């Protein structure tokens, strides 16, 4: 085991439904966690919800619910979304958890006792959206930069935390630990902010104004300022102070946030930890915004994109891939559905999907779906240098992912993929096959490509875990094994010669027509660039087709036919169908599959056998691809 790895996301406010921005940070944390599992680290991943404060209270009132009912409802939306996005958080913390509330009071008492909290009257500019005071110089054109409204002047007596006392210490800490805040631009931003004298932090709100919060342990008329409460989730979620999790994981703590909350995480939080005598976290990883038309995607600006809708339209792994590939960590990115479709088609369907189907169809065609034995002398020679290219890709990926440069990690994988596609073109296995002398070379190049695909399947695991497993299965490997461990990816030769490969299933279909927009704020225009499209039909025309679900119960070849298979189906009744898919499927591969049948096609005689219907199949580049169901349905079910 290498060192433990602890990662957190911000805990999200429950005044709005989760959107793509929240999903992005949480998927980042998931990818980072899975990547550390590849490095055999012991990992802990924490996310959750931030449930106290004025804006939560107002949102509850607006819905006619009491605050507890309201926070339970919205918190559940976040909690239930994460498994849908294949996010493997170890714990989900809520600031209304009694154990968290007790720890907030404990830390406050400790800092109060050490003399770092004092009571005073204060008059300042307060943004109700952010629930905090602003200094003049933090405003943009006199307005809060996040909510774009002018803050109100308010005057009240409150408790203050002596942050100023720790300013010099913090500057020194940041200077001595260059990767404490990363990327560097955000480190510089914090250092620039610290050039001005740091004001003390108002850490209480009078109950006469806000009652929904954690009561100060030393004054029952006040509740704790939401940020002082929320930041402590990172330790309460580990069972601070005595929990085993805290002891194991806190020394390795890393946070991920977007730049909107750089100041509380880069300034308040380390100072709070220092004042409470708790070791400081290791890294603060700061990313940019997903924008829509130059503005940050946010609930208050009403331009949000729903993650689940994107998942449902494009598939989860494609969605996760797009988020990781299209945002350079640290910089802003503009969300746009056309770019998502373009990525799916070029990187996933064309580069990876085609490579996978080309290699597997060659194994099927030249070696009857059995992994060939490579020639040891040929493995890393001439155009076959896939072994060294794969090892270089694993090393580059490892380095970039550790530095939180996820898009560069993906580039390393795609370089390998394009190298493999080029290898196929240069080696031209279809020529090698014609000349018996080249049998050893043919076997070796195909074996190398299978090994390369095994390594690609491991490298994509943190970003696209389901696709990684799907590739493994089709490569005849065990998808339940820890196939993605870096140590195993650095080892060449795990694919076993002689192993039989199961039936081929394509990885990523091309998105030909952009579906109706998944994101309400995105342009929904459907490009119509399909060549040779047939004349339009009415719904009544379409309705004349009787499409049914059928299970294939038996299949056999037909003497003297190179293309046809005789297939017995169960679609509520038994039927025989003759189908021209023999070049793409072996009879034993398709038994048990649930397919789509045109049930009311006039019977026709083929090779002397009456065919009672037709199976639907796509004209894929690698041959025919049967239309199959992605979950079981009763034979005979209608398709409409
Ligand atoms: N509750 C505080 C955080 C407390 S952590 C101790 C909060 N909540 S939030 O719901 O507003 O979440 C902000 C975070 O959501 C951002 O830092 C980022 O992680 C994510 N994002 C929200 N909108 C986003 C974008 N448009 N783009 C990228 N990330 C975004 O602040």
């Amino acid at each position: 085991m290498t060192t433990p790895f602890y990662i957190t996301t911000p805990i999200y406010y429950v005044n709005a439904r989760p959107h793509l921005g929240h999903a992005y940070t949480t998927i980042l944390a998931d990818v980072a966690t899975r990547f550390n599992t590849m490095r055999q680290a012991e990992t802990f991943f924490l996310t959750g919800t931030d449930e106290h404060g004025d804006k939560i209270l107002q949102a509850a009132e607006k819905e006619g619910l009491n605050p507890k009912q309201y926070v339970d409802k919205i918190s559940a939306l976040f909690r239930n979304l994460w498994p849908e996005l294949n996010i493997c958080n170890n714990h989900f913390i809520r600031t209304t958890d009694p154990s968290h509330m007790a720890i907030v009071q404990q830390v406050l008492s400790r800092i109060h006792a050490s003399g770092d909290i004092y009571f005073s009257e204060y008059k300042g500019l307060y943004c109700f959206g952010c629930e905090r005071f602003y200094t003049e110089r933090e405003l943009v054109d006199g307005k809060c930069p996040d909510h774009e409204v002018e803050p109100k002047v308010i005057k009240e007596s409150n408790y203050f935390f002596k942050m100023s006392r720790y300013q010099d210490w913090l500057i020194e800490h940041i200077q001595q630990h260059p990767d404490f805040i990363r990327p560097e631009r955000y480190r510089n931003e914090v250092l620039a902010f610290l050039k001005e004298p740091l004001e003390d932090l108002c850490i209480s709100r009078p109950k006469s104004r806000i009652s929904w919060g954690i009561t100060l342990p030393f004054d029952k008329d006040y509740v704790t300022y939401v940020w002082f409460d929320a930041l402590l989730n990172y330790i309460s979620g580990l069972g601070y102070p005595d929990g085993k999790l805290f002891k194991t994981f806190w020394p390795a703590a890393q946070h991920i946030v977007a730049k909107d909350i750089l100041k509380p995480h880069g300034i308040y939080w380390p100072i709070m930890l220092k004042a409470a005598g708790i070791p400081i976290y290791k890294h603060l990883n700061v990313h940019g915004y997903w924008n829509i038309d130059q503005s940050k995607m946010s609930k208050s600006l009403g331009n949000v994109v729903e993650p689940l809708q994107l998942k449902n339209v494009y598939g989860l792994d494609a969605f996760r891939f797009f988020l990781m590939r299209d945002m350079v960590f640290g910089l802003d990115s503009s969300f746009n559905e056309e770019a998502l479709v373009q990525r799916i088609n070029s990187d996933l369907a064309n580069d990876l999907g085609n490579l996978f189907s080309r290699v597997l169809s060659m194994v099927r065609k030249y070696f009857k779906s059995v992994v060939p034995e490579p020639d040891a002398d040929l493995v890393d020679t001439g155009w076959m240098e896939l072994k060294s290219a794969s090892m270089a890709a694993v090393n580059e990926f490892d380095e970039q992912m550790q530095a939180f440069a996820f898009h560069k990690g993906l580039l390393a994988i795609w370089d390998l993929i394009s190298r493999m596609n080029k290898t196929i073109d240069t080696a031209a296995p279809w020529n090698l096959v014609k000349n018996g002398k080249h049998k050893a070379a043919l076997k070796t190049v195909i074996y190398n490509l299978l090994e390369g695909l095994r390594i690609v399947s491991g490298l994509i695991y943190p970003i696209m875990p389901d696709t990684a497993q799907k590739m493994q299965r089709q490569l005849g490997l065990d998808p339940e094994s820890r196939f993605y461990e870096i140590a195993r990816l650095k080892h060449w030769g795990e694919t076993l010669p002689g192993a039989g490969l199961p039936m081929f299933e394509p990885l990523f279909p091309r998105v030909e027509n952009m579906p109706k927009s998944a994101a309400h704020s995105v342009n929904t225009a459907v490009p119509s660039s399909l060549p040779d499209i047939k004349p339009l039909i009415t719904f009544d025309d379409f309705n004349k087709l009787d499409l049914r679900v059928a299970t294939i119960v038996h299949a056999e070849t037909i003497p003297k036919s190179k293309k046809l298979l005789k297939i017995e189906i169960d679609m509520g009744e038994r039927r025989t169908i003759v189908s021209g898919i023999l070049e793409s499927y072996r009879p034993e591969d398709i038994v048990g599959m649930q397919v789509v049948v045109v049930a009311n096609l006039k019977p026709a005689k083929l090779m002397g056998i009456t065919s009672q219907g037709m199976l639907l199949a796509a004209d894929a580049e690698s041959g025919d691809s049967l239309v199959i169901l992605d979950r079981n349905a009763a034979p005979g079910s209608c398709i409409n």
Side-chain angles (χ1 to χ4, degrees):
M1 284 272 167
T2 51
T3 44
F5 174 77
Y6 173 44
I7 195 88
T8 69
T9 70
I11 46 170
Y12 303 112
Y13 287 131
V14 289
N15 62 343
R17 300 168 59 82
H19 61 67
L20 180 118
H22 307 116
Y24 172 68
T25 315
T26 318
I27 291 174
L28 265 178
D30 186 67
V31 170
T33 306
R34 288 178 191 266
F35 166 65
N36 277 275
T37 324
M38 292 174 81
R39 310 187 80 242
Q40 291 169 281
E42 201 183 343
T43 61
F44 198 87
F45 165 11
L46 181 71
T47 186
T49 42
D50 189 354
E51 305 185 2
H52 288 126
D54 206 23
K55 54 183 159 185
I56 311 292
L57 199 61
Q58 283 168 7
E61 274 163 10
K62 219 161 140 193
E63 291 214 3
L65 296 174
N66 73 39
K68 180 72 178 117
Q69 286 169 325
Y70 173 78
V71 296
D72 284 352
K73 182 177 135 187
I74 308 288
S75 176
L77 293 181
F78 282 88
R79 183 196 282 259
N80 295 337
L81 173 62
W82 303 142
E84 296 273 354
L85 302 182
N86 226 338
I87 281 163
C88 59
N89 52 303
N90 296 85
H91 183 45
F92 186 93
I93 188 160
R94 302 179 56 184
T95 52
T96 50
D97 288 341
S99 54
H100 168 78
M101 294 173 60
I103 280 164
V104 172
Q105 292 191 324
Q106 194 180 323
V107 173
L108 276 167
S109 300
R110 184 165 340 163
I111 299 180
H112 187 239
S114 69
D116 280 339
I117 290 175
Y118 63 95
F119 192 64
S120 164
E121 187 172 85
Y122 186 77
K123 184 174 159 204
L125 295 163
Y126 192 81
C127 170
F128 282 86
C130 301
E131 294 187 43
R132 75 168 178 97
F133 289 99
Y134 269 90
T135 57
E136 294 276 3
R137 71 188 167 97
E138 284 180 292
L139 302 176
V140 177
D141 299 331
K143 292 181 178 166
C144 153
D146 271 352
H147 294 88
E148 296 175 13
V149 289
E150 280 179 20
K152 296 248 168 343
V153 177
I154 64 169
K155 190 169 137 190
E156 62 191 18
S157 293
N158 265 312
Y159 287 88
F160 289 82
F161 172 41
K162 286 187 194 163
M163 289 213 302
S164 46
R165 235 176 105 172
Y166 296 93
Q167 179 159 4
D168 292 343
W169 163 80
L170 182 58
I171 295 172
E172 207 182 316
H173 185 83
I174 297 175
Q175 278 166 347
Q176 282 174 0
H177 300 84
D179 58 359
F180 177 59
I181 299 174
R182 57 187 183 186
E184 203 182 350
R185 56 189 319 170
Y186 297 111
R187 172 178 185 263
N188 294 341
E189 207 173 294
V190 170
L191 283 172
F193 194 85
L194 288 170
K195 283 204 173 114
E196 304 290 329
L198 200 52
E199 287 187 21
D200 290 343
L201 182 68
C202 175
I203 54 140
S204 65
R205 299 290 182 263
K207 280 193 182 167
S208 53
R209 188 155 70 75
I210 302 173
S211 57
W212 181 241
I214 302 176
T215 302
L216 289 186
F218 39 84
D219 191 336
K220 63 175 179 19
D221 292 334
Y222 284 84
V223 291
T224 312
Y225 169 44
V226 276
W227 272 104
F228 205 97
D229 160 359
L231 287 161
L232 287 166
N233 91 86
Y234 300 134
I235 56 170
S236 68
L238 288 180
Y240 168 83
D242 302 318
K244 185 170 172 294
L245 289 174
F246 181 74
K247 294 205 167 90
T248 310
F249 290 106
W250 183 248
Q254 297 203 34
H255 306 301
I256 307 183
V257 297
K259 61 186 182 182
D260 52 345
I261 50 178
L262 173 61
K263 189 174 162 193
H265 284 83
I267 297 178
Y268 308 170
W269 181 223
I271 293 183
M272 282 167 66
L273 288 166
K274 178 76 179 162
I278 302 167
I280 315 307
Y281 60 80
K282 272 246 147 42
H283 301 293
L284 177 63
N285 304 292
V286 187
H287 65 78
Y289 291 153
W290 281 99
N291 289 332
I292 294 244
D293 300 333
Q294 326 286 308
S295 297
K296 179 189 174 197
M297 184 187 301
S298 76
K299 187 216 118 190
S300 43
L301 299 178
N303 58 356
V304 297
V305 173
E306 293 266 345
L308 269 190
Q309 289 188 6
L310 289 173
K311 167 191 164 174
N312 292 340
V313 175
Y314 298 106
L316 176 58
D317 278 2
F319 170 56
R320 287 174 59 114
F321 171 79
F322 171 74
L323 293 183
M324 295 302 114
R325 177 65 185 75
D326 257 47
M327 187 180 259
V328 174
F329 191 88
L331 302 183
D332 290 353
S333 199
S334 206
F335 178 81
N336 149 354
E337 210 164 337
E338 278 91 357
L340 167 60
V341 169
Q342 167 100 29
R343 277 267 170 239
I344 295 177
N345 285 346
S346 67
D347 295 17
L348 298 180
N350 276 3
D351 299 346
L352 175 57
N354 271 352
L355 171 69
F356 195 60
S357 78
R358 283 171 100 185
V359 174
L360 292 195
S361 77
M362 288 191 287
V363 182
R364 194 165 58 225
K365 211 160 157 188
Y366 305 142
F367 300 105
K368 296 198 165 56
S369 293
V370 172
V371 176
E373 175 100 47
D375 184 320
D377 295 337
L378 291 175
V379 162
D380 223 16
T381 53
W383 36 258
M384 289 193 200
E385 280 165 352
L386 283 184
K387 180 177 170 187
S388 31
S390 303
M391 296 307 125
V394 176
N395 288 332
E396 170 75 5
F397 171 87
D398 193 16
E399 197 176 301
Q400 298 296 354
M401 297 291 284
Q402 281 189 65
F404 259 75
F406 295 165
H407 65 288
K408 287 194 186 155
L410 280 169
L411 280 178
I413 310 178
W414 257 255
D415 279 351
L416 176 61
I417 290 173
S418 91
R419 175 73 179 254
M420 288 165 75
N421 270 320
K422 278 196 203 107
T423 300
I424 300 182
D425 299 337
T426 328
W430 43 93
N431 289 336
L432 297 176
V433 86
K434 284 187 205 138
N435 187 339
K437 272 205 295 197
H438 293 140
K439 193 93 188 172
L442 176 68
K443 285 181 175 175
T444 314
V445 79
I446 299 291
Y447 181 86
N448 282 0
L449 288 164
L450 285 169
E451 263 297 271
L453 283 173
R454 173 183 70 83
I455 286 164
V456 168
S457 77
L459 293 178
I460 63 167
Y461 164 77
I463 299 105
M464 299 191 281
D466 285 346
T467 306
Q469 291 205 327
K470 195 168 167 188
M471 285 180 72
Q472 284 274 307
R473 254 191 303 277
Q474 295 194 56
L475 291 168
L477 303 161
D478 178 5
E480 302 307 321
S481 72
R482 295 173 67 89
F483 63 89
Y484 40 76
E485 281 177 2
I486 294 278
R488 286 181 68 176
L489 301 180
K490 285 187 177 166
H491 179 246
W492 187 260
E494 291 215 356
T495 298
L496 289 184
L501 303 191
M503 203 183 64
F504 171 71
E505 264 180 79
L507 294 181
F508 294 99
R510 274 184 75 78
V511 183
E512 293 295 0
N513 268 344
M514 197 166 89
K516 271 223 171 318
S517 178
H520 71 257
S521 55
V522 172
N523 182 355
T524 59
V526 177
S528 69
S529 54
L530 260 188
D532 306 332
I533 200 154
K534 291 178 183 160
L536 292 181
I537 57 166
T538 62
F539 185 72
D540 286 344
D541 293 333
F542 168 76
N543 225 10
K544 287 183 193 149
L545 281 179
D546 192 347
L547 300 177
R548 298 294 176 115
V549 173
T551 306
I552 297 181
V553 286
H554 179 76
E556 61 186 50
T557 51
I558 301 172
K560 297 205 184 114
S561 172
K562 284 191 181 144
K563 292 199 166 157
L564 298 178
L565 270 180
K566 181 180 169 196
I567 298 170
E568 299 288 322
I569 57 159
D570 171 7
M571 51 165 236
E573 62 182 39
R574 291 290 176 112
R575 286 200 186 182
T576 300
I577 288 182
V578 178
S579 176
I581 56 169
L582 179 58
E583 284 178 345
S584 306
Y585 294 95
R586 297 175 301 188
E588 63 271 29
D589 287 342
I590 59 171
V591 172
M593 274 168 78
Q594 285 216 299
V595 291
V596 176
V597 170
V598 184
N600 60 339
L601 194 68
K602 276 194 184 147
K605 259 201 172 155
L606 294 164
M607 300 293 282
I609 305 163
T610 305
S611 179
Q612 304 160 292
M614 187 176 99
L615 303 191
L616 294 189
D619 224 353
E621 262 182 47
S622 56
D624 294 309
S625 169
L626 279 171
V627 175
I628 54 175
L629 269 72
D630 83 340
R631 68 192 64 178
N632 275 344
S637 302
C638 289
I639 293 175
N640 41 42

